[in-house]
Amino acid sequence: QLDPVTMLTICAAREALERAGISIKLVNRRANTYRIEHISANTIGVYMGTGIGGAHSFLENHYHPILARHKACLQELANEKSLDERARSVINRIVERMFHLGRVNPFVVSMLMPNAVSACLGLKFSITGPNTTFALACASGTAAIGHAYRAVKKGIVKVALTGGAEYLNDHYGYIFRGFDIARTLASGYDIPDKANCPFDVKHSGFLFSEGGAGLLVLEELSHALGRGAPILAEITGFAETFEAHSIMRLSRDGREIERMIRMVLVESGLAEQDVQYINAHGTGTKNNDETEASILFRCFGDKPLVNSTKSLLGHTIGASGALEAIVTALSIDSQTTHISRNLREPILDLNFVTRSANFEINAALTQSFAFGGHNAAIAMKRFR
């Protein structure tokens, strides 16, 4: 009854709640639903991002009516007595490779709808506060967290369960092929992992990741302190802009991205020199990397640490911004961060992280850009 993207979301939510010290209680064994204890259900909001949602379920169920008919015809042909064994063997091999479900799933509509990633959390954990889905391609997770932050800040909710999820694997690779035709994927290396090199002069595209999910628990400060919550970092600002330039390419002048950065700094009360770490969008595509690097240099110079989490995980599309926000929060909490893998010859002289070490990180920025023209950024500070 659930698409893999929804199952990933539920698993990540459970981990986030446990990490936040929030206990849950089973309320319906047959439905396998829970209730969050000691927090009123209507003061909790769900804010989730996904680029496409249940694409896996859509494609699997789409294959059934198309392939089932052809498969039946081929099987009938294979039974023809006039066929020689070689022809029969070839047809049988084709039939074996035609994978599809035995029938159209009766739950397919609820499985493929993008808002299932948010609705499933409300249903699973009996949450009755605002429940919203953001579908902004690669900026989905970042935007969802930013809007959750605003809801907490305005007092709309006391607690927000927020993040991003994506699952784009399918048996025939249609989505992968779509990105490939658009010439956005990494290429040109015998060892595929080596081709994933954001901000390197040899970058050729992004490494496709079939999926992932990451969630955060955001909380009003006095509420968090009151229950003794473990606090990783404090979100201090959020900004988003739209480029109105191209459905698939960043504007080379970077004007709207730079405006977004200035906006998030103002809301956070930070000067450019206060930012010590930037978790960059860092896809590895030529246009994105070169545009982003030049904007970061223009705004911050070569002082703050810069890395790309996509150099480790590949590009998880709608989940990427949420995973990168988590990495940013953990980097602030642990006062260290990961390297940018495969970065040997940077395209610009920024302070890229190329070694594992302890760093002073009191303020950080994470940002995402997306097909369509959506830009989103979140600022965080160390909680003392």
Side-chain angles (χ1 to χ4, degrees), residues 53-332:
H56 179 81
S57 292
F58 172 79
L59 290 169
E60 280 209 331
N61 286 273
H62 182 65
Y63 298 146
H64 173 78
I66 295 174
L67 298 182
R69 184 170 64 246
H70 296 308
K71 196 170 185 177
C73 290
L74 287 169
Q75 286 172 331
E76 184 179 338
L77 179 62
N79 293 328
E80 284 287 331
K81 293 181 180 179
S82 60
L83 279 182
D84 62 36
E85 284 305 311
R86 184 171 179 276
R88 198 185 315 278
S89 175
V90 169
I91 292 171
N92 284 330
R93 284 205 305 272
I94 293 171
V95 169
E96 287 171 6
R97 293 181 181 183
M98 292 174 69
F99 178 88
H100 63 85
L101 299 174
R103 61 170 184 159
V104 172
N105 191 314
F107 296 97
V108 64
V109 173
S110 61
M111 293 169 73
L112 65 85
M113 61 189 194
N115 62 303
V117 297
S118 299
C120 73
L121 298 182
L123 293 165
K124 177 63 67 176
F125 300 109
S126 308
I127 298 169
T128 58
N131 193 300
T132 308
T133 306
F134 297 83
L136 305 179
C138 313
S140 300
T142 307
I145 294 170
H147 284 275
Y149 153 75
R150 285 181 176 169
V152 173
K153 186 177 180 180
K154 292 177 180 179
I156 297 170
V157 295
K158 290 182 179 178
V159 178
L161 196 54
T162 181
E166 200 77 89
Y167 187 81
L168 299 178
N169 183 34
D170 75 273
H171 294 284
Y172 296 98
Y174 285 172
I175 297 173
F176 179 94
R177 182 61 176 150
F179 282 119
D180 189 31
I181 291 170
R183 298 182 179 179
T184 61
L185 297 184
S187 62
Y189 283 74
D190 293 333
I191 303 172
D193 177 60
K194 298 295 182 184
N196 183 30
C197 50
F199 297 116
D200 190 88
V201 294
K202 292 184 178 179
H203 60 171
S204 59
F206 69 79
L207 180 67
F208 183 83
S209 178
E210 73 174 21
L215 275 85
L216 287 164
V217 175
L218 305 190
E219 222 167 328
E220 192 273 325
L221 180 58
S222 63
H223 189 275
L225 293 175
R227 66 176 191 83
I231 299 173
L232 298 176
E234 177 188 359
I235 295 181
T236 57
F238 166 64
E240 55 186 340
T241 58
F242 185 76
E243 298 210 342
H245 171 71
S246 167
I247 199 75
M248 293 182 72
R249 290 178 65 85
L250 290 179
S251 171
R252 295 294 299 217
D253 64 23
R255 182 173 56 202
E256 291 306 316
I257 295 173
E258 184 171 349
R259 184 169 70 91
M260 174 190 70
I261 291 171
R262 305 292 183 195
M263 287 165 61
V264 79
L265 291 176
V266 168
E267 181 174 335
S268 301
L270 295 170
E272 290 84 349
Q273 61 268 24
D274 296 328
V275 177
Q276 294 161 309
Y277 167 52
I278 299 166
N279 189 297
H281 185 54
T283 58
T285 57
K286 289 182 178 294
N287 180 54
N288 276 32
D289 280 8
E290 288 161 13
T291 302
E292 183 174 21
S294 64
I295 294 165
L296 291 179
F297 189 80
R298 211 154 61 223
C299 292
F300 301 101
D302 60 359
K303 299 302 181 187
L305 300 163
V306 178
N307 66 3
S308 167
T309 297
K310 293 180 184 70
S311 73
L312 302 181
L313 303 181
H315 198 346
T316 52
I317 314 300
S320 60
L323 294 169
E324 289 154 15
I326 291 169
V327 167
T328 304
L330 290 171
S331 298
I332 292 172

